[in-house]
Every structure is written in structure tokens, then in C-alpha cells.
């Protein structure tokens, strides 16, 4: 069973769990994810492997409670177990061996960017990180990110900490001031990744994004996670999740992410106040 060995509440909506999963930890690489099922009748949701320890046979997941399944997952405590967990899935991030990389993480996207920065720093890449959240209380993994970055810029939308504005605006400021990274990696909500790509395009900087479409099987069979990249259909679970952000059809990705909003809202409302025991 995938037992939760450690749990940390990072913000009121964001939790970190260290899960016993030795076979997944043995093979995991930065950029990969797992698909989790919390209960027998439940849906399957993808979560990035935010960290792993081959020695201890554990993986770390960081998730934001945005709907029913993530809320149910958040109810699990240390000692409880996650019903199913499959992975590692997806293609590991193709990280450079040298040079300068700007890593941009927005909201819970800081969690997936962390293992990439850790690996790049280990390889000798100069990592300049920009992390952000709506406000100071919602910022996650600041200390961890500082450890794996040569330079860390913190941004908040409301100005409660660091740069007052979006991570993409901070990036624009750095590029305009003359910073010339070899590439940019951005992970976060779709509008944030799109804005980052709009900033880097005129500078001609290769920009990788980690797409997060709705997934079901995670093995390339159902087609739920399709994204259009450079005019071609790709399945994010087997061809991604990292893609060249300048080639992504963002309007389609945003439309598809919102496809089941009404059903997701109804599922959450039906569960409200049930403490997770009764759900649809
Ligand atoms: P719902 O209310 O059902 O949905 C809220 C929104 O989440 C939806 O509008 C939709 O855009 C998205 N979503 C819903 N169902 C799915 C699904 N089956 N698959 C993907 N997206 C869905 N979130 C994190 O907090 N931490 C992570 O590390 C993380 N890593 C991800 C890695 C990948 C490769 C992908 C594709 C997504 C990742 N996500 C991550 C997003 C996470 O899967 C969704 O937030 C989660 O599925 C929402 O489920 P819900 O039932 O709680 O919310
Ligand atoms: Fe089914 Fe990718 S989740 S094809
Ligand atoms: Mg859901």
C-alpha cells in the first residue's frame, strides 16, 4: 500500500505528502508524474513527482486542493494509505548539462519545477529561479528553491512579498536588463505559462512548459490529454508533459481544461460537509 509517511501543510490549500512507493522511486526522474486514485469509485488524477529518494523508497507529492479528488486526498493523514498510485509516467524532462536556465514556477507549479532545478544544479547548470503566488501565505517551497538556485526571485500578485506582480513580468524585467539564458522552463497555471512564452518569444529564447491537461489513463490510450503542439496532436501523458511552449495551441488547451467545470462543481457541492465519507 502507498502509505503516507509524512504530511506537511504548506498553505491552507496546499499539502505535501511523502509516500512509500519504492518501485516508483527507483525509476523516477525529474519531470515525471504519477496517477493517483484516492478511493475505489474515484477518478484518476495526475500529480507530479516533486521529489524522490531511491534510498528511502519514497516519493513526494505536492498538491493544491482545487476540487473533489484533491480535497479527499488532503483528508488523508500520516499512516493512511493512497489506494492506487501508478508511475513514473511521462517522458523525463530533457534538462541541459551546462549554461544558464531561468526556472519559472507559479502557484503549485513551484513543486514540479523544484526537482528540475535540483537536478540542473547538480549538473552544474546556473539556475535562476522566479517563483510566485497570489500572496505571501500561498507561496510554497521558498527555502527548498533557494537551495537549488543560484539566484531566487520571489513575486506576489498583491505585493505582500518580493516583486509586486506576475512571474512573467519579473522575467521580462530580467531579460530587458540584459539577462541571456540559454532556455526558460515554466510550470504553473496555463495563463501563467502562456504569458511566460509571450515574454520569451521576442527574445528568441527556447521555452519549455509542463502541460497539465485532464488525464484519465495516463498511458496514451484514451485521448483525454491531447494537446496541439506545432499543429500536431500530442498526448501529454506519453509525449509530454514538457513541450516547446512557443508551439503550443494555448487557446485550445485552456478551453479543454475547462470542459467539465459544471460537473466538477456539482461533484464538490454534493460532497460539501460530508467530511469525505460520502461522495459522488
Ligand atoms: P476538479 O474540480 O475535478 O478539477 C479542477 C480542475 O483541474 C479542472 O477544471 C481541470 O482543469 C483539472 N482537472 C480535473 N480533473 C483532472 C484530471 N483527471 N487530470 C488532470 N487535470 C484535471 N496538481 C497539483 O496540485 N500538483 C501537481 O503536482 C500536479 N501535477 C500535475 C501533473 C500533470 C502531468 C497534470 C496533467 C496535472 C497535474 N496537476 C497537479 C493538476 C491536477 O491533476 C488537478 O488539479 C486535479 O486533477 C484536480 O482534480 P480535482 O478533482 O481535485 O478537481
Ligand atoms: Fe489518456 Fe493521455 S491520459 S491518452
Ligand atoms: Mg475531479
Amino acid at each position: 500500500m502507498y502509505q503516507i509517511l509524512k504530511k506537511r501543510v504548506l498553505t491552507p490549500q496546499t499539502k505535501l505528502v511523502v509516500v512509500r512507493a519504492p518501485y516508483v522511486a527507483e525509476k523516477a526522474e525529474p519531470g515525471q508524474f504519477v496517477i493517483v486514485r484516492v478511493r475505489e469509485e474515484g477518478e484518476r488524477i495526475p500529480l507530479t513527482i516533486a521529489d524522490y529518494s531511491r534510498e528511502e523508497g519514497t516519493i513526494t507529492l505536492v498538491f493544491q486542493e482545487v476540487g473533489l479528488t484533491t480535497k479527499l486526498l488532503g483528508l488523508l493523514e500520516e499512516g493512511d494509505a493512497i489506494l492506487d498510485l501508478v508511475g513514473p509516467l511521462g517522458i523525463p524532462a530533457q534538462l541541459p548539462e551546462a549554461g544558464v536556465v531561468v526556472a519559472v514556477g507559479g502557484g503549485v507549479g513551484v513543486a514540479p519545477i523544484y526537482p528540475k532545478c535540483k537536478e540542473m544544479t547538480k549538473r552544474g547548470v546556473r539556475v535562476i529561479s522566479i517563483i510566485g503566488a497570489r500572496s505571501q501565505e500561498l507561496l510554497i517551497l521558498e527555502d527548498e528553491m533557494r537551495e537549488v538556485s543560484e539566484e531566487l526571485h520571489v513575486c506576489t500578485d498583491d505585493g505582500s512579498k518580493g516583486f509586486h506582480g506576475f512571474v512573467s513580468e519579473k522575467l521580462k524585467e530580467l531579460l530587458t536588463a540584459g539577462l541571456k539564458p540559454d532556455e526558460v522552463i515554466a510550470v504553473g497555471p496555463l495563463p501563467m505559462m502562456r504569458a511566460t512564452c509571450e515574454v520569451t518569444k521576442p527574445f528568441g529564447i527556447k521555452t519549455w512548459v509542463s502541460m497539465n491537461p485532464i488525464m484519465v489513463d495516463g498511458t496514451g490510450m484514451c485521448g483525454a490529454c491531447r494537446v496541439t503542439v506545432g499543429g500536431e496532436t500530442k498526448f501529454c501523458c506519453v509525449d509530454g508533459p514538457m513541450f516547446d511552449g512557443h508551439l503550443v495551441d494555448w487557446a485550445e488547451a485552456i478551453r479543454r481544461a475547462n470542459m467539465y467545470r459544471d460537473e466538477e462543481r456539482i461533484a464538490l457541492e454534493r460532497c460539501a460537509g460530508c467530511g469525505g465519507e460520502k461522495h459522488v
Side-chain angles (χ1 to χ4, degrees), residues 205-250:
I205 303 165
K206 184 86 167 176
T207 304
W208 296 100
V209 295
S210 187
M211 294 304 284
N212 46 14
I214 292 174
M215 290 189 177
V216 181
D217 66 311
T219 58
M221 288 192 285
C222 72
C225 68
R226 73 167 203 270
V227 286
T228 305
V229 183
E232 284 179 32
T233 297
K234 299 280 179 190
F235 289 168
C236 185
C237 63
V238 287
D239 300 323
M242 304 288 290
F243 294 102
D244 180 338
H246 293 148
L247 301 179
V248 168
D249 181 337
W250 292 101

Side-chain angles (χ1 to χ4, degrees), residues 43-45 67-70 264 267:
E43 64 180 350
R44 299 154 59 88
I45 64 158
L68 180 58
T69 305
T70 47
E264 286 155 353

Side-chain angles (χ1 to χ4, degrees), residues 68-188:
L68 180 58
T69 305
T70 47
K71 278 189 197 298
L72 293 174
L73 185 59
L75 291 172
L76 300 181
E77 298 296 344
E78 287 179 5
D80 292 341
I82 293 173
L83 182 68
D84 297 334
L85 186 151
V86 57
L89 300 170
I91 299 175
Q94 307 294 303
L95 300 171
E97 299 288 343
V100 181
V101 171
V102 178
V104 189
V108 76
V110 178
I113 210 120
Y114 169 75
K116 300 180 183 76
C117 296
K118 188 173 165 184
E119 177 60 27
M120 287 191 289
T121 296
K122 201 167 103 189
R123 293 179 182 188
V125 175
R126 290 183 52 213
V127 177
I128 297 169
S129 300
I130 306 174
I131 62 169
R134 282 204 313 278
S135 68
Q136 180 174 12
E137 313 77 67
L138 300 176
L139 265 176
I140 59 166
L141 305 179
E142 186 183 340
D143 294 342
E144 288 83 350
M145 283 299 293
R146 204 175 295 284
E147 270 173 35
V148 296
S149 311
E150 184 178 296
E151 204 176 299
L152 177 75
H153 299 272
V154 172
C155 311
T156 49
D157 299 359
D158 65 359
S160 49
K161 185 161 192 187
F163 175 81
H164 186 172
F166 297 139
V167 285
S168 52
E169 292 168 338
K170 182 69 203 179
L171 175 66
K172 190 173 187 176
E173 190 185 279
L174 295 176
L175 298 181
T176 308
L179 178 68
K180 289 190 173 52
D182 296 292
E183 55 188 75
V184 169
I185 301 176
V187 189

